[in-house]
Amino acid sequence: MLRIGHTMDDFTRIGCPAGRSMSTLVEETVRVMREQLPPLLGDGYELRADQLDMAEMIARSLEHDGVSVIEAPTGIGKSLAYLVPCLLHCRRHNVRAVVATYTRTLQRQLARRDLETASRATGGGVEGVVLMGRGSYACRIAIARYLRQRRPARNLAGWLRNVADEPNSDLDSFAGGALYLDDSLRAAVSCPAREAVCRGCAERERCALVTARRRALAADVVLGNHALLFADRAVGGALLGHYDVLVVDEAHHLEDVATDFFTVSFGRRTIRGGPHSLWTADLDGAGDGVRAAGMSGGGDTGAGVAAAWHALQSAVAAGQDATDRFFRAIAGRLPDVASDRVPYAVGSPLFYDAGADVNAAGDALRTIATAAGALGEAAPAPGEGVPDYAGTFQVLGAQALETASALEFLAAGADEDYVFFVRVGPDGPVSLSAAPSM
Ligand code: SF4
């Protein structure tokens, strides 16, 4: 059963409204679906009435700048039903489209099969590219760190070096991905979760994520995912560029993705100790470079850089100590319930006596920002073989201030538009989080 509506509240059985004649896009869509698709898809393909209905409705929406909300069972061929009218519309009006899915599986199926089929059926001339989430691309900085610190076996090391040197592939599509990639390796070598980390990166010109994003900005059709839609809004459309048509497939997951995206968290490993922590091992290398530059400046410069580096190290340690004390304290006050989420609100007894640790962590984060600013100013200018140390420390400073604000917001637990909770793992409390209450 296919259900379609023009708005979320208007689900109706599809059909051409009485008295409205078929528009040109609708006619062309029907013609392509009936005449072009079957020979391309071979004997196993049969055009279904629901698939044709859906394609017609989408064509009509595109012609009239409308919105269609469609619920359909698996197996009717939804992807081609929206790709065909979208590609026809994009080519006619020289406009761009974004298709957002929830699962990587569907994203890949669209990229490998359906987009190619729809493109051939509609006469070509429309370029489509896949843009995955950050976790799907290799980070050159993270791979270099992994090789340095973990010293993996020769085969894996060779694979990682090849991945790092290939800016035109995502991690999973790179030959050998199925053999080597597991969750832990992916977390260790993929792009850092926070966008800000990439801003000052000296490896941008050879980075797979940056390359994929540039291609997406130039493409007619971008196959992305739900999270990308929110990330794009958060950076003012810089990821996807302007687009006229949006298709959200697997849209029943969109609310959960939105909740995750807008959730604010501060965890046991936010400052140090995790792959996406504020302090990561590559900052040690940046520190070496800045201190060497400071030493070559001699006298006061060298002493100033050394003092800022010392302040930074001390603040990271103090912030982590305060965080550990805080999470140990609330672990002893969690109610004995079998849930991975324990709600709290302003004045919660969970935080009894924990104010000093929250303040200490916040102070440490602000000290990190100040010291990072001083190191950034002392850093040498980037150039051949010299990374952008100043950019790296500026990003660290901005992140530290953002983290301090998030911690204060979470500890207050007072915003009525958010639901506050402690996320609990097998070893105790993992983070304070606040999700928009929608
Ligand atoms: S731009 Fe970001 S993802 Fe790319 S190499 Fe640099 S830090 Fe890694």
Side-chain angles (χ1 to χ4, degrees), residues 155-196:
N155 287 356
L156 175 57
W159 185 78
L160 285 171
R161 282 192 193 95
N162 291 338
V163 170
D165 284 340
E166 175 51 75
N168 296 311
S169 174
D170 61 84
L171 271 168
D172 298 85
S173 306
F174 198 81
L179 183 65
Y180 293 113
L181 270 180
D182 58 20
D183 287 350
S184 120
L185 183 64
R186 182 190 297 277
V189 302
S190 60
C191 302
R194 280 167 300 187
E195 191 73 35

Side-chain angles (χ1 to χ4, degrees), residues 134 138-142 191-192 197-198 201-204 207-210:
R134 300 176 65 85
C139 169
R140 288 175 58 85
I141 303 276
C191 302
V197 174
C198 296
C201 177
E203 299 287 350
R204 291 181 65 82
C207 170
L209 173 71
V210 174

Side-chain angles (χ1 to χ4, degrees), residues 38 72 93 103 135 150-151 167 175 184 238 246 261 299 312 327 336 372 426 431:
H93 299 285
T103 55
R150 308 272 187 97
R151 300 186 181 281
S184 120
L246 172 64
F261 189 84
L312 184 59
F327 279 100
D336 192 14
S431 68

Side-chain angles (χ1 to χ4, degrees), residues 387-403:
D388 182 6
Y389 294 127
T392 300
F393 284 110
Q394 274 163 14
V395 168
L396 174 66
Q399 286 178 322
L401 291 179
E402 269 175 33
T403 308

Side-chain angles (χ1 to χ4, degrees), residues 344-347 408-418 420:
Y344 71 87
V346 59
E408 277 158 19
F409 173 75
L410 289 159
D415 191 321
E416 290 179 357
D417 291 333
Y418 282 79
F420 292 85

